[in-house]
Amino acid sequence: MKKFNFRKVLDGLTASSPGSGSSSSGNSGSGTGGGSNQPGGTAGVLREEIQETLTSDYFQICKTVRHGFPYQPTALAFDPVQKILAIGTRTGAIRILGRPGVDCYCQHESGAAVLQLQFLINEGALVSASSDETLHLWNLRQKRPAILHSLKFNRERITYCHLPFQSKWLYVGTERGNTHIVNIESFILSGYVIMWNKAIELSTKTHPGPVVHLSDSPRDEGKLLIGYENGTVVLWDLKSKRAELRVYYDEAIHSIDWHHEGKQFMCSHSDGSLTLWNLKSPSRPFQTTIPHGKSQRDGRKPESCKPILKVEYKTCRNSEPFIIFSGGLAYDKACRRPSLTIMHGKSITVLEMDHPIVEFLTLCETPYPNEFQEPYAVVVLLEKDLIVVDLTQSNFPIFENPYPMDIHESPVTCTAYFADCPPDLILVLYSIGVKHKKQGYSNKEWPVSGGTWNIGAQTYPEIIITGHADGSIKFWDASAITLQMLYKLKTSKVFEKQKIGDGKQTSEIVEEDPYAVQMIYWCPESRIFCVAGVSAYVIVYKFSRHEITTEIVSLEVRLQYDVEDIITPEPETIPPFPDPSSQLPSSKSLSGSTSTVASEGATKDSIPCLSVKTRPVRMPPGYQAELVVQLVWVDGEPPQQITSLTVSSAYGIVAFGNCNGLAVVDFMQKTVLLSMGTIDLYRSSDPYQRQPRSPRKNKQFIADNFCMRGLSNFYPDLTKRIRTSYQSMTELTDGPVPLELERCKSPTSDHVNGHCTSPTSQSCSSGKRLSSADVSKVNRWGPGRPPFRKAQSAACMEVSLPVTTEESRENSYNRSRSSSISSIDKESKEAITALYFMESFARKNDMTISPCLWVGTSLGMVLMISFNLPSTDEQRYTEPVLVSPSGTLLALKGAVLTFSCMDRLGGLMHPPYEVWRDPNSMDDNEKGRKRKLVMNSPSTSQEMADHQYAVICSEKQAKVFSLPSQTCLYVHNITETSFILQAAVVVMCNSACLACFCANGHIMIMSLPSLRPMLDVNYLPLTDMRIARTFCFTNEGQALYLVSPTEIQRLTYSQEMCDNLQDMLGELFTPVETPEAQNRGFLKGLFGGSGQTFDREELFGEASAGKASKSLAQHIPGSGGIEGVKGAAGGVMGELTRARIALDERGQRLGELEEKTAGMMTSAEAFSKHAHELMLKYKDKKWYQF
């Protein structure tokens, strides 16, 4: 009978994880428990020596800042006094921008599209009109804007809004043609309504259409100009409640703008014409022009053009007025790009844009509409960009945009995030990147300069790296919640450009974007950078400050997988770990094939996907290509996508793997060290029975019939768009994943079939449609093999196409990643999913450490490969490196995602690296300097004790092992019904922890080494594949993901960061005095109209206009109102806001009281008068005369 030590059992229970369903495991790597366990004396020593300092109080999830261009913009507004800019989007978001560092993101809870934005100029407030027929009032006097009031229209749809300067009455036009008036302070509808049937003539039999324009006359604020879609314009007298004049035009109206004197206004029409109207002669236009229309020889009207969607008419004191409009190009120029036309005097300038124009605004010196406008810039909001044109220079240059609006210049395909990196890196990268900046920008300062921003307490440097579909890589300075591009690297420059007629070699593999970046690895300390591309290549870069011209060295690697089926053994039949002495093959047997075999006929073999430049190439300062490694075709089948990548500057070795196997390359000697299938790595310790493949009956393979997966397969509407690199990658449906995905318990099934897919198994899923003649290939290769896809944007996760055979469909549907090793699914291939270099113990109970490569597979197996490196620097470049796989080491449930190491005291051990030195330095001392290596090796002794702890996380669970005994110390089953998408071991408050992002949207943090849950938050209600592809954890409690195809969302899981976030954010509102109006002069004041004496309160107030129907609109108090301000707006600004709201309410009540008092006094005077008259009448009469 086995004896138990109850004291140790109790100790284990005390330190166990509180997670539900957890159990203990005491064996080496094959346990399925999910709690914590401390078997034997080693765990007791571990608990005594490692004191975990992290608690749940250190963690909290909070969004920090959003970078990039607002996705799908719809509206634009500018405050000319505060100088801040607001952009509304189709998803209900609002981005408010000021000076660099002032960038605020707001979101309507309904998610309805933003139709229009209106600033309360210099008031610190913003009005938004949404597509759900709701008006919202935002309070901008706090760092996190909040909604003060909302007003939802029940009967009519909002089409246009106008808020006059320094007015509290908002004009709202509707689709029915009516105009309503809203009090901004109380957000209550006035009883004053301008009905469409009263605005038009009684003789008119047709409806004028929706209201497309509203504006008050600059000459007289009591006159409101109403533009209807059918071409009718009405000047409405607000006091007399009648139309003062009406104008009619045959073409539909898109926009109207006043001349500042209020005597003329200009309209843009659907036939590409501009009409100028004079109030004195409204019967016909004063002037009609078609700026881009061809004039007819016989004097007829010029040909119609495309609609002019918007026109702005701005006057200058010392020059001709500016007429700026969008659209209006001739129909015969179909290839012309969207344009903005600037007419100034006799000159006409057409500015062609890269994307369609959504909206534009002219920035003027004065906020007063009745003064010379003096325009100085035009803000143009495009579908995918924001530009500002300088109007003060004759060539109209654009301003250099200080915001990171070009993240999506080419679609983002992968991301990486590094916090607390070496401080000199940012300066070094910026000094290199600034030399390649574009020239020709305006020399004036960026005009959107409002708000204030301080760096705050966060001081450590942060760098974000984005990989793109065109092969470019961008390095961004992300310190102190800002984002600024430092340096751009183009990986495509190492390859020859593909020519039309080159046998379509690349187009067969990747339809577009053959240089797309799929994976990146960066070592900030050594500045070694490694890139894996979609065309199955790996490029190793070294950093240099000096320009060189040299040839690019390239290697070709052949990876092949020759197993048909996997017969899964029972747990009892898993063989023990092998004897190290039986696993020392020669280096020759491990060498990969690097020769090129000519293809025979239609069968391609040993041919890479891309051609590396063979001539000497000039490499500017920065990152310079050291080595290019390409996978080649094998027997007519293209190479598979690379699924894992790592590099060691200390060892001079790069390793990468895919679903076929593993390749290890020495980039110092430019040789292939290892190239073998995954099953060959196991040697004699393979726990699975794999049947050898039968000989091929037919090697012919027609690549043209091979279905290449790409975004166009899933989004057919792309074919209707211009096939640019951007549009082919980012015109995506940005909707949420259905609820079935979250409920699905199978992480390996197909999204197209309606099931969730594990990213680590997708690379081996079926992706081609086979004819009946190809069924034998399906049987030979198993349920599926990964086709070589074109570049996929991070806007879409890898998605599997359904196969045609019903049997394969059923197999794909029923496959699921097992909950234990005994039920691992029968995948046709075992992919390499994780790689990690470390100084470690290569085999069980080893007493010496050696350079090792940890290999994780999609079946949850962990293997170890050890290296024997030459001892001196001189020998390192000449003597061979010996590679020795040591067989199966450990096992987990689900595909392995990440590795990490901890020392005996619980400190995180970083992989060894070489201290950077310039390889092309002109300094003789630096050239002769020896390599300086930082090894971070664990201490060893002759005693049988463990010196290193391995942290391994898979899709399902995390384990902590003690090395070299390979004892499993802690196990935590992270999820049973879902799977982990991203996992990383990070440093937080000088302690290590494991951060995980789950497919069901949960973010989980676990302490190390005990794997105690510190945080579990349902951050996202639904799994988004774009987020899953780009989610990154890093040190100091930081994380990020691509929230839309054009935006990066940063978040923190640090409580300290959440507490200090308010101090780090910028202030949107700053106290600025409103500029004084110009002196109009005596004559202008006498004959310039009665606008200065117009009292809107008297006209629109409840006393004179009455109350609006309650069924017309519903008032909704916002969270940023009086109740919300108490909790949302802290500090002095919050107190001022509350005091102001209280004063407004008190003033309103006092006004009502004053009106009632005046009425009572009038009534009392009338009563006294009548009583006095009655007394006089009957004063002298006797009683009998009554």
Side-chain angles (χ1 to χ4, degrees):
M1 180 178 176
K2 188 177 179 179
K3 295 183 179 180
F4 291 90
N5 189 326
F6 287 96
R7 185 181 66 84
K8 293 188 178 294
V9 171
L10 292 174
D11 289 345
L13 290 174
T14 303
S16 65
S17 168
S20 60
S22 60
S23 60
S24 299
S25 170
N27 53 17
S28 270
S30 60
T32 60
S36 306
N37 186 37
Q38 299 176 347
T42 306
V45 173
L46 175 67
R47 190 182 63 175
E48 292 174 3
E49 293 186 354
I50 299 180
Q51 298 295 328
E52 296 182 5
T53 58
L54 292 179
T55 64
S56 58
D57 296 335
Y58 284 80
F59 300 96
Q60 181 183 346
I61 293 290
C62 178
K63 292 181 180 179
T64 54
V65 69
R66 183 173 293 204
H67 302 298
F69 180 77
Y71 184 56
Q72 296 179 330
T74 55
L76 182 68
F78 182 73
D79 188 327
V81 179
Q82 288 289 320
K83 296 192 181 301
I84 56 177
L85 189 74
I87 301 173
T89 72
R90 194 178 301 173
T91 58
I94 299 177
R95 286 280 292 281
I96 305 173
L97 304 171
R99 66 175 68 248
V102 178
D103 187 343
C104 182
Y105 168 80
C106 315
Q107 176 69 48
H108 292 91
E109 290 184 2
S110 65
V114 178
L115 300 179
Q116 194 176 352
L117 296 171
Q118 285 272 322
F119 275 105
L120 277 66
I121 296 176
N122 204 26
E123 292 291 330
L126 175 71
V127 175
S128 62
S130 302
S131 59
D132 60 352
E133 324 318 325
T134 308
L135 296 173
H136 305 275
L137 178 64
W138 294 83
N139 176 19
L140 306 184
R141 292 175 177 254
Q142 55 195 58
K143 292 186 176 182
R144 296 277 193 178
I147 294 178
L148 292 169
H149 300 282
S150 297
L151 186 68
K152 182 172 179 59
F153 283 75
N154 298 322
R155 298 179 184 175
E156 302 187 58
R157 300 185 62 184
I158 301 171
T159 56
Y160 196 87
C161 299
H162 170 65
L163 181 65
F165 179 48
Q166 294 181 329
S167 169
K168 68 174 185 178
W169 297 96
L170 175 72
Y171 301 111
V172 181
T174 68
E175 190 178 36
R176 293 185 180 180
N178 302 325
T179 302
H180 300 275
I181 301 170
V182 178
N183 186 313
I184 289 295
E185 293 179 350
S186 61
F187 236 58
I188 296 177
L189 208 59
S190 169
Y192 192 110
V193 183
I194 305 173
M195 306 298 292
W196 67 271
N197 53 356
K198 294 183 178 180
I200 65 174
E201 288 184 341
L202 296 177
S203 59
T204 305
K205 297 181 180 180
T206 59
H207 190 280
V211 175
V212 296
H213 178 81
L214 292 169
S215 63
D216 52 338
S217 169
R219 189 180 184 185
D220 186 352
E221 294 178 351
K223 308 293 176 59
L224 182 67
L225 192 70
I226 308 173
Y228 297 95
E229 189 180 54
N230 73 341
T232 302
V233 181
V234 176
L235 185 64
W236 183 265
D237 190 326
L238 294 169
K239 286 185 177 179
S240 61
K241 299 183 181 181
R242 65 179 182 86
E244 185 171 295
L245 66 84
R246 300 179 180 92
V247 300
Y248 300 94
Y249 195 69
D250 296 335
E251 298 293 336
I253 292 176
H254 285 278
S255 69
I256 305 175
D257 200 18
W258 281 99
H259 187 280
H260 83 278
E261 291 181 348
K263 299 177 182 179
Q264 296 176 334
F265 60 87
M266 182 174 288
C267 303
S268 68
H269 300 277
S270 57
D271 63 344
S273 64
L274 296 173
T275 55
L276 185 64
W277 298 83
N278 196 318
L279 298 185
K280 292 184 178 180
S281 55
S283 58
R284 64 174 188 171
F286 176 74
Q287 182 181 354
T288 303
T289 58
I290 302 181
H292 295 296
K294 290 183 179 179
S295 58
Q296 304 292 333
R297 293 182 179 179
D298 53 2
R300 291 183 300 173
K301 181 181 176 181
E303 291 183 357
S304 297
C305 296
K306 296 178 182 178
I308 295 179
L309 302 178
K310 183 178 181 180
V311 64
E312 293 205 347
Y313 187 24
K314 304 301 179 184
T315 55
C316 304
R317 186 180 299 274
N318 300 320
S319 65
E320 296 289 330
F322 280 90
I323 300 174
I324 305 170
F325 60 89
S326 60
L329 296 179
Y331 280 105
D332 59 351
K333 297 180 180 179
C335 297
R336 286 284 291 272
R337 294 185 293 179
S339 65
L340 184 78
T341 304
I342 302 176
M343 300 173 63
H344 188 214
K346 295 182 179 180
S347 67
I348 299 179
T349 304
V350 179
L351 304 178
E352 291 190 342
M353 305 294 170
D354 293 332
H355 310 287
I357 297 174
V358 175
E359 176 69 287
F360 74 88
L361 287 175
T362 306
L363 309 187
C364 302
E365 296 289 351
T366 176
Y368 294 95
N370 58 356
E371 299 177 354
F372 282 102
Q373 298 299 288
E374 303 294 345
Y376 61 89
V378 180
V379 180
V380 187
L381 178 64
L382 308 177
E383 277 191 1
K384 298 180 178 71
D385 202 0
L386 176 72
I387 65 171
V388 181
V389 181
D390 186 356
L391 295 179
T392 61
Q393 301 183 40
S394 58
N395 60 339
F396 302 127
I398 65 172
F399 290 86
E400 184 177 5
N401 197 328
Y403 314 124
M405 293 289 185
D406 58 346
I407 292 175
H408 62 286
E409 183 180 15
S410 175
V412 178
T413 53
C414 62
T415 58
Y417 192 6
F418 300 87
D420 202 13
C421 24
D424 60 329
L425 266 181
I426 292 178
L427 184 60
V428 168
L429 291 171
Y430 179 79
S431 63
I432 298 295
V434 74
K435 299 176 183 178
H436 305 287
K437 277 195 172 183
K438 296 179 181 179
Q439 305 297 323
Y441 292 112
S442 172
N443 55 8
K444 294 193 174 182
E445 292 185 1
W446 180 254
V448 185
S449 57
T452 57
W453 176 73
N454 297 316
I455 295 179
Q458 186 182 10
T459 56
Y460 54 83
E462 299 174 76
I463 292 179
I464 294 173
I465 304 177
T466 55
H468 300 265
D470 63 352
S472 62
I473 294 168
K474 295 180 180 179
F475 292 76
W476 306 84
D477 176 13
S479 306
I481 70 171
T482 61
L483 196 68
Q484 179 183 9
M485 196 173 83
L486 299 171
Y487 172 70
K488 183 177 180 180
L489 172 66
K490 296 181 179 179
T491 62
S492 60
K493 288 189 174 182
V494 304
F495 300 105
E496 297 284 359
K497 291 183 179 179
Q498 295 297 314
K499 297 179 181 179
I500 300 175
D502 270 0
K504 298 193 301 181
Q505 175 177 314
T506 302
S507 62
E508 294 171 354
I509 308 301
V510 283
E511 298 165 3
E512 298 172 4
D513 308 311
Y515 311 110
V517 178
Q518 189 176 8
M519 202 170 291
I520 54 181
Y521 186 94
W522 188 43
C523 177
E525 290 81 9
S526 63
R527 302 185 189 177
I528 288 286
F529 188 67
C530 198
V531 179
V534 72
S535 297
Y537 64 81
V538 171
I539 308 176
V540 180
Y541 287 92
K542 286 188 176 181
F543 188 84
S544 175
R545 297 176 183 268
H546 305 280
E547 178 181 316
I548 60 169
T549 301
T550 183
E551 291 186 0
I552 301 173
V553 182
S554 65
L555 294 175
E556 294 174 2
V557 176
R558 184 184 181 95
L559 279 179
Q560 189 172 357
Y561 197 97
D562 291 325
V563 168
E564 181 170 352
D565 292 320
I566 300 174
I567 300 178
T568 306
E570 294 300 322
E572 294 80 5
T573 64
I574 295 179
F577 294 112
D579 183 5
S581 62
S582 65
Q583 305 199 34
L584 294 174
S586 64
S587 61
K588 288 186 179 181
S589 65
L590 300 177
S591 301
S593 170
T594 58
S595 60
T596 302
V597 181
S599 59
E600 300 177 4
T603 302
K604 294 183 178 180
D605 189 58
S606 300
I607 299 175
C609 300
L610 300 173
S611 300
V612 179
K613 291 180 179 178
T614 56
R615 62 185 182 278
V617 178
R618 185 187 71 86
M619 299 182 185
Y623 275 104
Q624 300 166 349
E626 176 79 5
L627 176 66
V628 179
V629 185
Q630 290 183 283
L631 296 180
V632 296
W633 288 63
V634 177
D635 295 333
E637 297 180 9
Q640 304 305 299
Q641 285 190 358
I642 294 171
T643 56
S644 55
L645 173 70
T646 189
V647 66
S648 173
S649 59
Y651 305 153
I653 297 174
V654 59
F656 59 94
N658 60 9
C659 62
N660 282 342
L662 173 69
V664 180
V665 177
D666 184 345
F667 64 80
M668 296 180 69
Q669 297 186 24
K670 313 295 190 295
T671 58
V672 179
L673 301 178
L674 180 74
S675 173
M676 63 169 56
T678 310
I679 58 169
D680 297 326
L681 297 175
Y682 287 99
R683 309 297 294 173
S684 62
S685 61
D686 190 358
Y688 308 107
Q689 302 175 27
R690 310 177 196 243
Q691 298 178 357
R693 177 180 296 178
S694 58
R696 294 173 183 244
K697 296 180 181 179
N698 183 9
K699 288 189 177 183
Q700 293 293 329
F701 181 86
I702 306 302
D704 293 337
N705 295 332
F706 195 78
C707 178
M708 305 303 168
R709 290 189 297 180
L711 297 184
S712 58
N713 296 108
F714 312 114
Y715 304 98
D717 62 315
L718 291 182
T719 57
K720 302 177 184 178
R721 305 180 183 272
I722 300 174
R723 295 182 64 84
T724 61
S725 174
Y726 181 90
Q727 288 171 325
S728 67
M729 303 293 289
T730 58
E731 299 291 344
L732 305 175
T733 303
D734 198 37
V737 177
L739 287 173
E740 286 78 1
L741 187 149
E742 188 177 8
R743 301 192 190 105
C744 177
K745 296 185 179 181
S746 170
T748 57
S749 48
D750 194 342
H751 267 299
V752 177
N753 290 329
H755 329 301
C756 62
T757 306
S758 168
T760 55
S761 60
Q762 284 167 354
S763 59
C764 302
S765 56
S766 178
K768 60 178 180 177
R769 299 184 181 273
L770 304 178
S771 62
S772 58
D774 294 328
V775 173
S776 60
K777 282 191 176 181
V778 174
N779 294 334
R780 185 178 74 236
W781 284 100
R785 64 175 301 282
F788 207 100
R789 291 177 290 275
K790 78 169 188 178
Q792 279 190 297
S793 166
C796 181
M797 193 70 172
E798 297 175 8
V799 182
S800 304
L801 285 175
V803 294
T804 54
T805 61
E806 291 299 323
E807 181 181 359
S808 297
R809 286 179 186 270
E810 186 176 356
N811 291 341
S812 175
Y813 183 88
N814 291 330
R815 278 173 21 198
S816 64
R817 191 162 297 281
S818 69
S819 60
S820 66
I821 295 178
S822 61
S823 60
I824 293 179
D825 54 348
K826 297 182 179 181
E827 294 180 342
S828 61
K829 297 185 180 181
E830 183 177 7
I832 306 297
T833 57
L835 295 169
Y836 186 71
F837 281 109
M838 194 63 207
E839 290 280 307
S840 187
F841 301 93
R843 294 169 180 82
K844 188 173 182 178
N845 296 326
D846 263 2
M847 296 307 299
T848 58
I849 60 170
S850 61
C852 293
L853 173 64
W854 293 4
V855 181
T857 74
S858 57
L859 296 185
M861 306 307 294
V862 178
L863 305 101
M864 190 80 80
I865 296 177
S866 62
F867 299 89
N868 189 355
L869 300 173
S871 57
T872 63
D873 285 354
E874 293 78 11
Q875 292 176 340
R876 179 64 186 85
Y877 288 93
T878 56
E879 298 294 328
V881 177
L882 301 181
V883 185
S884 174
S886 59
T888 304
L889 182 65
L890 309 167
L892 291 85
K893 290 189 296 184
V896 178
L897 298 180
T898 189
F899 298 103
S900 191
C901 270
M902 301 179 71
D903 59 25
R904 187 181 181 87
L905 300 179
L908 192 62
M909 295 177 59
H910 296 281
Y913 63 89
E914 177 189 359
V915 177
W916 177 79
R917 59 174 180 171
D918 197 329
N920 306 316
S921 175
M922 304 299 178
D923 188 358
D924 294 335
N925 294 331
E926 180 146 357
K927 278 186 178 180
R929 183 164 61 90
K930 291 185 177 182
R931 299 175 67 212
K932 182 180 178 181
L933 305 182
V934 180
M935 303 307 292
N936 296 322
S937 302
S939 59
T940 59
S941 66
Q942 298 299 322
E943 300 178 4
M944 285 297 295
D946 289 336
H947 312 283
Q948 195 178 53
Y949 306 105
V951 180
I952 308 175
C953 184
S954 72
E955 289 181 335
K956 291 289 187 179
Q957 64 179 188
K959 289 187 177 182
V960 176
F961 294 91
S962 177
L963 300 179
S965 67
Q966 298 181 4
T967 304
C968 181
L969 301 176
Y970 297 95
V971 183
H972 182 67
N973 284 338
I974 300 173
T975 177
E976 292 291 344
T977 60
S978 186
F979 56 93
I980 303 299
L981 292 167
Q982 299 290 342
V985 176
V986 295
V987 175
M988 175 88 169
C989 300
N990 298 320
S991 297
C993 58
L994 176 63
C996 300
F997 176 58
C998 195
N1000 59 16
H1002 282 250
I1003 292 178
M1004 291 162 283
I1005 311 293
M1006 283 151 280
S1007 67
L1008 290 177
S1010 66
L1011 296 177
R1012 289 182 296 109
M1014 298 283 101
L1015 179 74
D1016 187 350
V1017 175
N1018 187 7
Y1019 179 71
L1020 297 172
L1022 293 174
T1023 301
D1024 192 308
M1025 290 299 102
R1026 176 182 55 255
I1027 296 174
R1029 185 72 179 271
T1030 58
F1031 203 101
C1032 298
F1033 290 104
T1034 189
N1035 297 332
E1036 307 301 335
Q1038 305 292 331
L1040 67 80
Y1041 58 91
L1042 201 68
V1043 69
S1044 74
T1046 61
E1047 296 170 287
I1048 288 176
Q1049 177 68 58
R1050 292 167 66 182
L1051 64 145
T1052 181
Y1053 48 92
S1054 166
Q1055 178 68 57
E1056 182 182 5
M1057 179 81 170
C1058 293
D1059 295 340
N1060 298 329
L1061 185 59
Q1062 281 292 111
D1063 298 332
M1064 301 173 66
L1065 296 175
E1067 291 277 1
L1068 293 174
F1069 179 80
T1070 54
V1072 179
E1073 289 189 7
T1074 303
E1076 295 183 0
Q1078 296 178 1
N1079 188 2
R1080 304 183 69 199
F1082 175 74
L1083 293 178
K1084 284 190 177 182
L1086 186 63
F1087 302 105
S1090 58
Q1092 299 299 321
T1093 60
F1094 178 66
D1095 187 0
R1096 294 187 179 91
E1097 179 68 34
E1098 180 182 351
L1099 192 59
F1100 303 144
E1102 186 177 330
S1104 57
K1107 291 184 178 181
S1109 172
K1110 292 184 178 180
S1111 61
L1112 184 61
Q1114 176 187 1
H1115 177 261
I1116 305 171
S1119 60
I1122 298 177
E1123 297 83 1
V1125 166
K1126 295 178 181 178
V1132 177
M1133 191 58 69
E1135 295 295 335
L1136 290 176
T1137 305
R1138 288 193 289 272
R1140 179 176 180 179
I1141 294 173
L1143 285 174
D1144 290 341
E1145 290 184 345
R1146 182 172 179 269
Q1148 187 175 356
R1149 289 194 294 267
L1150 287 175
E1152 294 174 357
L1153 181 61
E1154 185 179 356
E1155 291 176 1
K1156 291 180 180 179
T1157 304
M1160 291 176 64
M1161 290 179 63
T1162 304
S1163 177
E1165 289 177 358
F1167 178 78
S1168 174
K1169 181 179 178 182
H1170 288 300
H1172 184 69
E1173 291 175 353
L1174 188 64
M1175 185 268 294
L1176 293 176
K1177 181 178 179 180
Y1178 297 104
K1179 179 180 179 181
D1180 298 328
K1181 289 186 178 184
K1182 304 295 182 181
W1183 62 271
Y1184 51 84
Q1185 293 177 333
F1186 288 98

